[in-house]
Amino acid sequence: MSKTLVYDTLTIPDPSFYDEQVKMFGFWYGMSNICVFPTKVSGTSAYQKSSGDAQTDHNILHLKHTTMLFDPKVRQLVNESSGVFQELQTNVEDPNKSTDALFYSRKYRAILSACILAIDQHNLDKSNETYNQYKLLLHNLELIWHLCEVLYLVTVPGDTILNNLLDWIKIHYEKAENQASMIIEDKTAYFTDEHVEEKFPFYWDAVFGLVLQGNTDMVRMLLCNHSQSDTESFVQAMKILKSMPTYSVYGGLPIAEYNSRFKGWQSSAKNKLDCGIFLSNSNLNDVMKIICGEPDSTDLIRKHCSTWFEFLVAQLIYTEPTIKKHNLSLNAHRSVAKYYDEPEYYHMDSLALDLFDGDLEAFVKKLKSYPDSGWSSTHLTNLLHLCDKIEPEFDMIDAVESTNPNEQYLLDYGTFLMSHHSLWQAGVTYLDHCSAIGKGYLSILLSKLEISSDLRISKILHYATARRLHNVVSSICKVKGMLSLQKSRIGEALCWAIRGQDSAFATYLGDMLLKEYSKGGQFICPDILDNLGSIVVTCDRFMFIGKYLQLIKLAKDEKLSEAASLYIEILRSNICPKYFRLRLLLDVLIFLNDNNECYFNTIDMSLITMRLDDAIMESNEDERFVDQFLLNQVSSIRKANTNYTCTLYGVWKCD
Amino acid sequence: MVEAHSINAEHKDLIHDVAFDYYGERMATCSTDQFVKVWDQDEQGNWNLTASWKAHSGSVWKVTWAHPEFGQVLATCSFDRTAAIWEEIIGESNEGGTLLRHWVRRANLVDSRTSVTDVKFGPKSFGLILATCSADGVMRIYEAPDAMNLAQWPLQHEVSLKNPSSCLTWNPLLSNFRMPNAMIAVGSDDNSNTTNSKVFICEYNEVSRRWAKTESVASVAHPVHDMIFAPNMGRSFYLLAVATNNVRILKLKPLTDATSGFPYTIETAAQFDDHYCTVWRVAWNVTGTVLASSGDDGCVRLWKSTVDTWKCVGVLKRDGKLPQPQSKTAQSTAQNNLTRFFKLGQITHPSEVHWH
């Protein structure tokens, strides 16, 4: 159990902080890490001068927060609970399915128990202090969760809560029962008349423990095992235990009837106690004192309880067996006051007290500071919220508009998981259920995830696309594209531009490719250009490149007449970028130099001539686009044009 | 539990600023020694120095990364009255197979006549845009018209604030409330008087196509050393953290019915005097929910907005003495002369720092 602290102080030791003048500056980096470095501050005028401490080291410290949930053994808790969470949310939205809060609460607890078990198996000799701590933390968590379940989720007819509380105590404090079974299973003592107390020094501890859990059957079995079990005092004690009336809602007894029976039973037992029947064995006498609900047995009970929860329930068995839920608060406060000598409450204590008080809001808020990084507060608040146990808008203030605490916890927990390199996908699940603001978080956090491996990027892109976060997709693709470009991998960059449907970036890369082609006469990444996909529709530059590639292919395959009509189409649509126009016009020679065939009619020829004139004019106006080699080619194009046109006319003249 | 990793920055003088890239995997540092250094984190989490160059002829005050969509780009500002844009170039890999990286100066912004005290890239939705402020109180906006060409950085606007400026911050503007104007807050560390406002809000006016000072925040009258807008995660208001004689969080709430004038109300959302003295730096975490403030008391304090209110969730204290290796609270293992790795705090003890 831990004390509630407002905040915590961490001391950062480093020789760089050698005197008071050295300040520490802190920054956030990545998702949730802090970096601190030493520096000095003085008036602006003194800045320029060297501080003269060149000999000292200037260390930079990176602080990383590691928590229980990030431990490989505890990770199953995170993953499995996110599955249950997801299932619960979908069930709530589906009107055909009933949302049984108790069912889900037990599911969550089962995951907790499984996790504790897994830790145990990994740490059999209990030598790993870390795992011992984790186990304790998770165990306490299960205890408090179970209490919450017993008090708020289990429907108790008539509100007589004791039996449920007993179930709760029995599960979490099983030491006495384990000890008892050990004793009972050992038959030798029974048969050999050996003194069972000597063989099992914890014999009476077990008896007391069971009495305090109201487990009278087992107490009787233990008493049977005692060497004096046939003496009058033991026989009487077992008789009393056997006749103890037990209350059951379905037993048919009204509460008043039961109470009078219980009182009658207790007073008859008390008569026997007062007669001194049990004095022959002091321990047995103490047991009977407790059973009779004697006021001076309080200290006795306290001695045998390891926590005040046990203490509270043990007292109730023999003083107020039909206590109603709403009366628990007073008893709880009394118990905790009696149990502790000093009025000093621990975190767990105040959590349990809030539950007994019926103050779920306060409970949930305190649970938030439980050192499980918000696992419990998130899931429990969400569960209580969904089954209408807490108001969705408790304790709202202006500062956190449009978020209720349930959502606030989901946001915090989701963000926390997103900061882990492999748990981020679980984090997305929680942010998905946070209305509009969750989408804002997702959009920033998804794009901040490190994009180290391609598999990881595919996953991130998949998540972003499914949530229609197209800005995230295009941002990640652009970043990757720029990184490829930095390494001069234009083809790779183009792939990213295509993936991100980034036509501006694609245009830039297309320009690079075309300029490269004008220089070298070859495209650098033919495999990618063969599979351009939809980018040719969205990006003008690639519409041109696509057509141009087709043209080259046709020409290469000697399908010149098809190539020629495509060529004219390209010229007519005017989609060729300025700097490439001359280069494109140079390709006319493929067709004109072929003397065997006519590919163009006069209209085509005039278009070619017109484009040629335009291109030359442009290049005269704007020196930037001029390629001297191409300009030199102009005359040969013109010459071919003229020849060709003459031939055309010549052909007509012949007709 | 907190794991701490210490590296020797290898600067020969005071470090003034440390900046992390968008993913927190690259770190740039700058110092009085006029050098800028870039560090990269490897898969094991170690930081390795990958570049170091003399960037200016005076103390380098601030260093900042552009959004990686624009490539690997840094901006620095210095006492030498200039700001500079740097781009990382990857050359051919050498024999060892590692890529050769170096940073080239793409632009030198020389318009200031005094020390340039801060430099910040604008939100990526505005393109490749940069703001600087200088000791003579001029805020300048530079913009690369072609984001793929880092050599061209024409000066677009100048706003004279008439107060020595120490810091500036862009409003990240992710609000879905309406298309707001670009906004920059500039702080002044003028300590000649303590009555005038030290925080100025500048906005871009779409109609006049000019930047202008539109508001002075009267409630901040002490010298301001650092300011930062919180990342906006879909909130309908903006949070501005101010480092002055205390930590101040200002809340800018848009007025829905404003037709003219300054369309926001400015109120103090929180004020923390726990540093008991000057606060030098403030920094928001990625979601804008936890603020880290660095004060003259040598502490870094963490403030979180919870369902209730703002409260301190952690304090980092400096300690000049190295703990003994046998100490229970901190186990340090010297890996080599440059790096040191140690664990702070007990595992899952209640004193676990909850800075999430």
Side-chain angles (χ1 to χ4, degrees), chain A residues 123-147:
Chain A
N123 186 28
L124 285 174
D125 55 350
K126 301 195 187 320
S127 58
N128 187 326
E129 193 46 43
T130 315
Y131 283 132
N132 290 343
Q133 291 242 24
Y134 287 173
K135 195 191 157 187
L136 187 71
L137 272 173
L138 293 176
H139 189 84
N140 281 342
L141 197 58
E142 202 200 341
L143 177 84
I144 207 81
W145 185 304
H146 194 177
L147 179 62

Side-chain angles (χ1 to χ4, degrees), chain A residues 317-601:
Chain A
I317 304 174
Y318 302 105
T319 53
E320 250 183 286
T322 55
I323 190 166
K324 303 265 182 171
K325 195 156 93 180
H326 52 88
N327 287 334
L328 274 176
S329 168
L330 184 68
N331 282 290
H333 280 275
R334 270 189 202 148
S335 298
V336 76
K338 272 186 217 158
Y339 190 81
Y340 289 122
D341 296 328
E342 289 161 27
E344 186 182 26
Y345 291 178
Y346 290 82
H347 195 173
M348 280 287 284
D349 300 335
S350 52
L351 281 173
L353 275 178
D354 283 336
L355 283 178
F356 283 123
D357 285 347
D359 191 353
L360 269 182
E361 280 83 352
F363 167 72
V364 165
K365 266 196 250 168
K366 279 182 193 145
L367 197 59
K368 183 83 170 85
S369 50
Y370 198 78
D372 63 351
S373 312
W375 182 86
S376 55
S377 57
T378 307
H379 292 102
L380 197 50
T381 312
N382 177 257
L383 188 67
L384 294 170
H385 172 71
L386 291 179
C387 65
D388 296 324
K389 293 290 179 188
I390 42 173
E391 290 296 312
E393 276 136 21
F394 71 85
D395 204 47
M396 284 270 290
I397 52 153
D398 187 43
V400 280
E401 55 175 79
S402 79
T403 60
N404 54 49
N406 167 42
E407 196 167 304
Q408 187 64 47
Y409 293 166
L410 292 182
L411 277 178
D412 283 354
Y413 185 63
T415 311
F416 160 74
L417 290 184
M418 293 283 285
S419 70
H420 189 264
H421 59 90
S422 68
L423 293 175
W424 63 270
Q425 293 170 83
V428 176
T429 315
Y430 295 88
L431 294 178
D432 273 344
H433 293 282
C434 292
S435 66
I437 203 160
K439 206 156 188 184
Y441 270 62
L442 266 179
S443 141
I444 297 225
L445 294 175
L446 276 177
S447 53
K448 280 243 175 195
L449 288 170
E450 55 181 86
I451 43 175
S452 41
S453 77
D454 281 352
L455 179 68
R456 203 178 145 90
I457 296 171
S458 296
K459 273 190 192 164
I460 299 173
L461 293 182
H462 171 76
Y463 273 80
T465 317
R467 281 154 191 79
R468 296 165 184 275
L469 296 169
H470 299 301
N471 55 334
V472 174
V473 177
S474 56
S475 176
I476 291 173
C477 292
K478 180 71 193 291
V479 171
K480 282 302 283 184
M482 288 302 282
L483 287 172
S484 308
L485 193 59
Q486 195 191 13
K487 295 182 188 119
S488 309
R489 296 178 189 158
I490 297 174
E492 202 178 279
L494 182 58
C495 280
W496 287 112
I498 293 169
R499 214 163 163 184
Q501 289 296 312
D502 188 337
S503 58
F505 189 40
T507 304
Y508 176 82
L509 294 170
D511 288 345
M512 282 183 90
L513 288 175
L514 287 176
K515 280 171 186 165
E516 202 67 29
Y517 177 80
S518 329
K519 261 184 238 158
Q522 231 169 3
F523 281 110
I524 20 189
C525 41
D527 46 335
I528 297 160
L529 292 175
D530 282 344
N531 302 295
L532 282 172
S534 63
I535 195 78
V536 293
V537 188
T538 51
C539 172
D540 285 352
R541 192 67 79 244
F542 274 92
M543 186 183 283
F544 169 73
I545 292 179
K547 295 269 182 214
Y548 189 68
L549 285 169
Q550 206 181 337
L551 176 75
I552 294 174
K553 194 162 185 291
L554 288 172
K556 206 172 159 194
D557 297 347
E558 311 249 312
K559 295 177 184 161
L560 282 184
S561 53
E562 283 170 59
S565 56
L566 181 63
Y567 184 73
I568 293 300
E569 196 190 309
I570 294 173
L571 281 186
R572 193 172 292 136
S573 61
N574 210 6
I575 52 171
C576 175
K578 277 186 183 175
Y579 58 82
F580 201 71
R581 282 186 186 157
L582 276 174
R583 182 69 192 73
L584 179 68
L585 286 161
L586 194 62
D587 288 330
V588 83
L589 295 174
I590 305 170
F591 308 104
L592 301 190
N593 290 345
D594 186 339
N595 294 324
N596 305 324
E597 196 101 29
C598 290
Y599 298 102
F600 301 126
N601 58 28

Side-chain angles (χ1 to χ4, degrees), chain B residues 71-310:
Chain B
Q72 300 298 308
V73 180
L74 280 175
T76 53
C77 66
S78 161
F79 185 81
D80 72 2
R81 305 176 193 179
T82 65
I85 313 282
W86 308 88
E87 187 185 16
E88 187 186 41
I89 301 294
I90 296 186
E92 299 294 307
S93 55
N94 60 9
E95 299 89 54
T98 50
L99 296 167
L100 292 174
R101 297 161 180 269
H102 66 279
W103 290 76
V104 291
R105 190 201 304 263
R106 288 298 187 203
N108 209 13
L109 312 174
V110 295
D111 302 278
S112 174
R113 279 175 294 279
T114 52
S115 168
V116 183
T117 50
D118 203 352
V119 60
K120 292 272 154 47
F121 286 102
K124 71 165 201 235
S125 54
F126 294 142
L128 200 43
I129 189 166
L130 186 79
T132 66
C133 67
S134 51
D136 57 358
V138 181
M139 194 267 288
R140 293 182 174 83
I141 306 281
Y142 298 89
E143 191 171 354
D146 175 8
M148 302 304 287
N149 179 6
L150 291 168
Q152 297 292 319
W153 284 91
L155 173 65
Q156 300 285 10
H157 305 275
E158 266 187 343
V159 181
S160 178
L161 299 163
K162 301 181 182 68
N163 275 289
S165 305
S166 56
C167 54
L168 69 86
T169 175
W170 287 82
N171 190 336
L173 296 171
L174 257 172
S175 166
N176 32 25
F177 146 72
R178 69 190 164 94
M179 189 55 207
N181 292 338
M183 183 199 284
I184 292 176
V186 184
S188 165
D189 59 353
D190 178 17
N191 51 13
S192 58
N193 70 56
T194 50
T195 49
N196 290 356
S197 167
K198 299 289 183 292
V199 173
F200 310 100
I201 309 283
C202 300
E203 281 185 290
Y204 180 67
N205 189 319
E206 296 284 350
V207 181
S208 65
R209 297 180 177 219
R210 285 170 61 87
W211 280 85
K213 182 176 99 180
T214 51
E215 185 71 11
S216 313
V217 184
S219 60
V220 183
H222 286 274
V224 169
H225 304 287
D226 195 19
M227 277 199 304
I228 186 159
F229 271 106
N232 189 318
M233 310 288 279
R235 277 186 285 231
S236 66
F237 55 88
Y238 309 114
L239 288 175
L240 174 63
V242 182
T244 169
N245 63 328
N246 49 30
V247 182
R248 204 80 65 88
I249 298 175
L250 302 176
K251 183 165 152 187
L252 281 77
K253 225 176 173 172
L255 294 168
T256 39
D257 51 350
T259 44
S260 62
F262 187 65
Y264 298 92
T265 56
I266 301 181
E267 55 185 87
T268 302
Q271 178 177 327
F272 316 115
D273 297 299
D274 303 51
H275 285 291
Y276 300 109
C277 45
T278 312
V279 180
W280 295 110
R281 285 296 179 87
V282 279
W284 288 104
N285 70 338
V286 58
T287 52
T289 47
V290 188
L291 180 77
S293 63
S294 314
D296 210 38
D297 58 353
C299 290
V300 175
R301 290 170 199 271
L302 306 174
W303 312 91
K304 188 177 196 304
S305 137
T306 62
V307 177
D308 303 294
T309 173
W310 290 88

